[in-house]
Amino acid sequence: MSAPGDPRSHPAVGDAEPAPGPGLDRAHATTADAAVTELGTDPVRGLTGSDAASRLATTGPNRFRTPRQVTFRSVLAGEITEPMMLLLLAVAVLYSVWGRLEDTIAIVVIISAVVLVEVFAEYRAKTVIAALGTLTAPTAPVLRDGRLEQVPTEELVPGDVVPLRAGARVPADVRLVGTWGLRVDESALTGESVALDKDADDVLPDETPLAERRNLAFAGTTVAAGRARGVVVATGMATELGRITGLVLEAKPPRTALQQAMRDLSRGLAMVAIAFSVLVPLIGVLGGLPWREMVLTGLTMAFATIPEELPIIISLVLGLGAYRLSRRNGLVRRLRAAEALGTVTVIATDKTGTLTENRMTVTSLAADVIPDERLLALGAACHDATAEGGQFSGDPTDVAFLQAAREQDLLPGTPGGVAGDVVTRFAFDAHRESMTVVHGRDDGRFLLISKGAPEALLDRCTARGGYRSLTAHDRAELHERAERMAGEGLRVIAVATRVLAAVPGVVQDAETNLTFAGLVGLADPPRPEVPVAMAAARRAGIRVLMVTGDHPACARAIAGQIGLDGDGPLLTGPDLDRLDDDALTDAVARTSLFARVTPEHKIRLVEALQGLGEVVAVTGDGINDAPALARADVGIAMGASGTDVARDSADLVLADDNFATITRALREGRTLYDNLRKGVKYYLACKAGLVATTAVGVLVGLPIPFAPIQIVVMEMFMDIAGSATFAAEPAERDTMNRPPRDPRHRFLDRSLVRSLVAGGMSLLVAVGGIYLVASWSGETTGTAQTLAFLAWMVGYLALAWVMRSERTPLAGIGLLSNRFLPAWTVVTAVSIAVIMFVPFLRDALRLTPISAAQWAVVVALPIVAVGWIEVAKWVRPAQTTAFSPQMSSR
């Protein structure tokens, strides 16, 4: 162990400004105390909040990338150069040449409104997605005002005191002031693949190469083992990483699979829309209609029917869905995860902290010959935790030992505890399933203490209490005792000791010929919400596996308490090692409990499940979990207890480490996919209805049912309804009562096509029917177009209401559960009234007054025409309606 000198010898915080000059460039060539003094900080209390704020204003943010800014101006500039906007401008220009001045003014005003609507929708989607990056931005532990707190990494400043632990990403260049078995992976900076030992006590020559500066830790590197405390000497571009890479613009996030699919779909549908936009006017010209009016109509129809809004709809649905989830402790780091959540068929979850409360308490002591108090003191002396402000932080097992020891005055260094300073540590390793600490003794020898899994530690013991040999009978007896304790739902930790003449250099020399001291049982009760969440997962057709490093009996006990088939088959890590890949694939199909597994086992399990066609979500929190998190379809990292490496590898971070949050995330994933289907279905149904209505009018030799300016207004209202209504739609009642969807199925499947065609044809029946009857009954073209326009405005709104849900009737989801659509209904109704009863607006849109009877028809008939879709939800089973998305058959 190494640590700085007496903190009382340092100047008070704030007495000295940080010296960013040459002195800090040679931090490796000065002592830790000198670096602390030069930076004007306190190694025990850190900087004050006000001092840190003033230094941040001087040094700037600790960042290596310039965030990509989303501004309304940039989105506006992109939108007005879109081909669809250029088409509208062409319409306006041609109107000014061939038409009336008032028509041109009206078109320009409406174009401006359409542009603002689409810009606002796109801006909202992009800002929501950008906000997700802020929510998942990295944080770092730092001492401020004597308290350990988490701050955004960008707010670190020179002079900040930061603790480092295994799995943490080093947030800035740091002069180490205390190290305990610290090893750092610097491959990201130097290319050196072997983790390097670090020592705060080293003082090195000025010319020491970067890769050999053992008393520094550099930004961007990763702590591989041990722990440390350091003082920040450089941030941002002043760090070694910043000097090498330079400041770069943050990359634009890649499109997700669905975003790309929607972009490809919109391009394909655009060709169809253009074909109709050319064909319909051509038929009109051939039928004797004015060619100029047909050209304007064709251009306007192209604008109204080309599905340019699809990419915006999916970005808005995905972004808002991910943002809603973030407000419930599920932080989406990658949008593709938001898509994949709806397809998950298997969750492989850890036990401790996810299924249980991660609130370990010592409840049972089974000492071997020595007193129970001595067993507890030994266990408490073997830890890797830190004490800040009277509170312990670190591994929950270590914290539980320390808290129990403090209650009985058995902490290390107290009269009842283990005496002597720690001279070396061998951190916990998942392969060894143990950790070891060596303390100095007054007689010049050393006391080694190991604690870990009973089956692992007992194999390294050769003696038991009283230093008598450990026989095969003894081992069997102690294993049986551990099994009994684990069967009671306890986490069982074995403790062993050894007295040495010299400090061992490697862990293999340390953890051998141990003397067994006893067993300690710790309780970690299941989270109360987990059984309900587990039942919800089963109803949703999702299989849950417990994959834990804990004892098999403990795993069974917890599984039984949460409803996870505690009596079913269970495989341990050694069992998995004996299975080849084919046998493992067969085993995972019928086994839900896995105990004493390592991260390597977890990867094999994920690959075996994926080989069966499953979509796998995996939880993890450690460095070694990173490969499994990356390999999973959805990697889920623990936010409270997880390492930086695990969080960086994950797609989703649980801020509360809670299994119930996973089921909420799955529900949200299904909801956003459902909403996307609804939004696309509605949007394309409206487009199909518009094309069909226009085509029918022309084919029967009548004038176009809508004037170009009316089509522009209809498009504006339809775009707002399509982009906003379904992004805000809550989950349907049966969202978690049906199987996961199969990701192999096409988005635009038969079910969706049938639904959108049915919706479009319903609009055709209502709007086209009214137009044809009005035209054939002798009404003027202006009146017939007015009736068609009003019928469309009512019909598009009624269609949005009935397409809000695919299976659940509106009465089941609540008329006001979507807060946007009722408000937009009122806005549309008021807009229709204003347009029709203000002569100037009515004339600008080429509309005419209509009778009360005609008002009743244009309001009632479209509602009735699309109402059958709602009736179908009541009279048909959900599984057989044309409105059900395809589900996974797995």
Side-chain angles (χ1 to χ4, degrees):
M1 167 181 170
S2 59
D6 188 344
R8 290 171 295 185
S9 65
H10 299 297
V13 176
D15 288 353
E17 287 295 317
L24 293 184
D25 287 337
R26 53 186 302 274
H28 62 282
T30 63
T31 65
D33 287 348
V36 169
T37 301
E38 191 170 0
L39 286 159
T41 189
D42 184 327
V44 175
R45 295 188 55 79
L47 298 173
T48 64
S50 59
D51 193 18
S54 67
R55 295 189 187 202
L56 181 62
T58 302
T59 61
N62 175 38
R63 66 164 69 122
F64 309 99
R65 292 181 175 86
T66 301
R68 184 176 291 275
Q69 298 294 326
V70 177
T71 64
F72 192 83
R73 180 184 297 179
S74 65
V75 177
L76 177 62
E79 185 67 28
I80 62 177
T81 57
E82 285 285 325
M84 294 305 97
M85 293 300 109
L86 298 180
L87 269 178
L88 269 186
L89 290 174
V91 173
V93 170
L94 291 177
Y95 252 107
S96 66
V97 175
W98 295 338
R100 301 178 303 177
L101 176 62
E102 55 267 33
D103 286 345
T104 303
I105 295 173
I107 285 284
V108 169
V109 169
I110 296 170
I111 287 175
S112 301
V114 170
V115 169
L116 289 176
V117 166
E118 296 200 351
V119 168
F120 176 76
E122 188 169 359
Y123 174 71
R124 185 185 181 200
K126 289 183 175 179
T127 51
V128 166
I129 293 171
L132 294 176
T134 303
L135 289 171
T136 58
T139 61
V142 61
L143 273 173
R144 296 267 176 90
D145 296 308
R147 297 188 304 273
L148 187 66
E149 55 187 68
Q150 291 283 337
V151 302
T153 301
E154 289 193 355
E155 295 181 10
L156 291 181
V157 296
D160 266 329
V161 178
V162 295
L164 301 174
R165 65 185 178 102
R169 189 83 69 189
V170 180
D173 282 0
V174 171
R175 174 54 166 99
L176 301 169
V177 298
T179 51
W180 295 268
L182 184 69
R183 288 189 292 121
V184 178
D185 177 0
E186 295 184 346
S187 57
L189 186 66
T190 66
E192 176 61 54
S193 59
V194 178
L196 303 177
D197 293 325
K198 297 288 184 176
D199 191 339
D201 288 340
D202 279 359
V203 179
L204 305 170
D206 280 347
E207 63 275 10
T208 303
L210 181 70
E212 298 177 12
R213 296 180 183 178
R214 299 177 66 246
N215 55 12
L216 298 180
F218 300 104
T221 61
T222 303
V223 179
R227 59 190 180 90
R229 181 175 292 190
V231 59
V232 174
V233 296
T235 59
M237 300 311 298
T239 64
E240 294 296 335
L241 181 63
R243 292 172 184 174
I244 292 172
T245 62
L247 189 66
V248 297
L249 179 66
E250 191 172 67
K252 185 178 181 180
R255 293 191 186 102
T256 69
L258 272 179
Q259 284 176 322
Q260 187 59 48
M262 285 300 100
R263 188 166 291 272
D264 295 341
L265 175 63
S266 64
R267 287 173 180 167
L269 294 176
M271 301 305 296
V272 176
I274 290 173
F276 275 104
S277 301
V278 173
L279 183 62
V280 170
L282 182 60
I283 294 173
V285 171
L286 294 176
L289 296 175
W291 70 270
R292 290 181 177 179
E293 182 180 341
M294 289 300 96
V295 170
L296 290 175
T297 300
L299 291 173
T300 309
M301 279 193 65
F303 162 76
T305 57
I306 292 175
E308 80 286 350
E309 283 282 306
L310 285 184
I312 297 177
I313 290 175
I314 187 171
S315 295
L316 197 60
V317 170
L318 283 175
L320 288 179
Y323 191 73
R324 282 196 301 267
L325 181 57
S326 72
R327 299 179 66 179
R328 304 186 69 182
N329 294 316
L331 308 181
V332 176
R333 298 190 69 251
R334 300 178 181 89
L335 273 185
R336 69 175 178 84
E339 294 179 6
L341 282 169
T343 66
V344 167
T345 59
V346 175
I347 304 171
T349 178
D350 195 7
K351 176 182 71 68
T352 304
T354 309
L355 300 176
T356 62
E357 294 183 1
N358 205 17
R359 183 172 49 84
M360 306 292 288
T361 55
V362 175
T363 60
S364 177
L365 295 167
D368 195 54
V369 179
I370 62 173
D372 285 348
E373 291 79 6
R374 181 60 179 172
L375 174 62
L376 180 58
L378 289 169
C382 181
H383 71 89
D384 198 20
T386 57
E388 305 289 350
Q391 297 295 319
F392 298 112
S393 61
D395 182 83
T397 301
D398 288 344
V399 172
F401 270 94
L402 290 167
Q403 288 174 337
R406 179 165 57 186
E407 292 171 2
Q408 300 186 41
D409 294 325
L410 298 173
L411 287 174
T414 63
V418 173
D421 293 332
V422 174
V423 295
T424 192
R425 272 185 174 86
F426 298 101
F428 178 83
D429 180 86
H431 295 285
R432 303 188 340 264
E433 298 184 277
S434 61
M435 71 169 294
T436 293
V437 172
V438 180
H439 290 259
R441 297 203 329 181
D442 293 340
D443 60 2
R445 296 195 293 173
F446 302 92
L447 174 63
L448 178 148
I449 309 170
S450 288
K451 73 180 182 187
E455 56 267 39
L457 218 56
L458 279 168
D459 287 344
R460 301 172 200 147
C461 291
T462 56
R464 60 188 303 181
Y467 296 98
R468 67 182 180 86
S469 296
L470 193 66
T471 66
H473 179 269
D474 292 334
R475 290 181 196 278
E477 176 197 333
L478 295 172
H479 275 299
E480 185 180 346
R481 185 184 303 173
E483 291 280 353
R484 285 198 304 270
M485 294 173 67
E488 298 170 4
L490 299 178
R491 184 178 187 188
V492 184
I493 301 295
V495 180
T497 65
R498 183 184 175 193
V499 177
L500 302 168
V503 178
V506 295
V507 69
Q508 290 80 5
D509 294 338
E511 294 181 351
T512 186
N513 295 323
L514 302 175
T515 298
F516 182 76
L519 299 171
V520 180
L522 299 97
D524 184 16
R527 292 179 180 268
E529 63 272 21
V530 167
V532 175
M534 198 72 65
R538 281 197 300 273
R539 287 196 305 272
I542 299 169
R543 185 177 167 217
V544 180
L545 311 182
M546 181 193 293
V547 183
T548 178
D550 218 332
H551 193 282
C554 183
R556 282 194 185 280
I558 295 297
Q561 294 176 50
I562 62 174
L564 188 59
D565 190 18
D567 296 325
L570 181 147
L571 292 175
T572 64
D575 294 333
L576 298 179
D577 290 333
R578 290 189 287 270
L579 299 177
D580 61 22
D581 290 344
D582 291 339
L584 179 61
T585 300
D586 292 337
V588 296
R590 48 188 169 75
T591 306
S592 298
L593 299 180
F594 300 87
R596 290 300 191 221
V597 298
T598 66
E600 287 74 16
H601 293 137
K602 191 177 286 188
I603 294 177
R604 287 194 68 199
L605 290 172
V606 171
E607 292 175 343
L609 288 164
Q610 290 173 333
L612 291 170
E614 306 287 1
V615 179
V616 187
V618 173
T619 69
D621 58 4
I623 303 174
N624 292 333
D625 287 324
L629 292 172
R631 184 69 180 84
D633 298 284
V634 180
I636 304 173
M638 303 298 105
S641 62
T643 61
D644 292 344
V645 175
R647 286 192 289 267
D648 288 347
S649 302
D651 305 298
L652 178 72
V653 177
L654 303 185
D656 57 358
D657 293 6
N658 192 340
F659 182 83
T661 302
I662 299 177
T663 57
R664 287 195 292 268
L666 298 176
R667 179 184 178 88
E668 190 62 52
R670 293 185 176 196
T671 300
L672 67 86
Y673 186 84
D674 286 350
N675 288 350
L676 180 61
R677 280 182 61 92
K678 297 171 192 174
V680 171
K681 178 176 65 177
Y682 169 76
Y683 184 72
L684 295 182
C686 288
K687 301 285 189 184
L690 177 60
V691 170
T693 302
T694 306
V696 166
V698 174
L699 288 172
V700 298
L702 295 173
I704 297 291
F706 309 107
I709 192 171
Q710 295 169 359
I711 294 175
V712 174
V713 172
M714 290 154 50
E715 166 74 3
M716 178 182 68
F717 277 87
M718 183 177 63
D719 280 357
I720 295 175
S723 62
T725 295
F726 300 99
E729 187 62 35
E732 291 197 41
R733 192 167 51 190
D734 67 342
T735 296
M736 293 296 283
N737 292 331
R738 49 190 167 92
R741 66 180 177 86
D742 191 334
R744 296 170 297 184
H745 287 164
R746 291 186 308 153
F747 181 84
L748 196 64
D749 56 20
R750 288 183 181 178
S751 170
L752 192 145
V753 171
R754 285 199 304 267
S755 298
L756 71 88
V757 169
M761 292 306 99
S762 298
L763 288 177
L764 169 64
V765 169
V767 180
I770 288 175
Y771 177 72
L772 293 177
V773 170
S775 298
W776 289 336
S777 62
E779 296 286 356
T780 64
T781 299
T783 299
Q785 287 184 333
T786 299
L787 294 172
F789 172 80
L790 294 175
W792 176 271
M793 293 293 284
V794 175
Y796 100 91
L797 205 54
L799 191 63
W801 276 97
V802 299
M803 284 190 170
R804 276 186 55 196
S805 66
E806 294 189 302
R807 295 162 301 278
T808 309
L810 285 176
I813 61 175
L815 294 178
L816 301 180
S817 59
N818 183 321
R819 290 180 292 182
F820 174 81
L821 189 54
W824 188 243
T825 301
V826 173
V827 169
T828 301
V830 172
S831 298
I832 291 173
V834 170
I835 289 171
M836 289 300 295
F837 295 107
V838 175
F840 168 74
L841 294 176
R842 186 176 62 226
D843 293 343
L845 266 63
R846 305 284 187 90
L847 301 172
T848 63
I850 60 175
S851 67
Q854 290 172 326
W855 270 109
V857 170
V858 298
V859 171
L861 186 57
I863 293 175
V864 172
V866 302
W868 72 270
I869 298 175
E870 182 66 17
V871 174
K873 300 172 194 175
W874 289 90
V875 299
R876 293 184 183 179
Q879 289 80 0
T880 60
T881 68
F883 300 92
S884 296
Q886 290 185 359
M887 299 299 167
S888 170
S889 59
R890 289 192 297 269

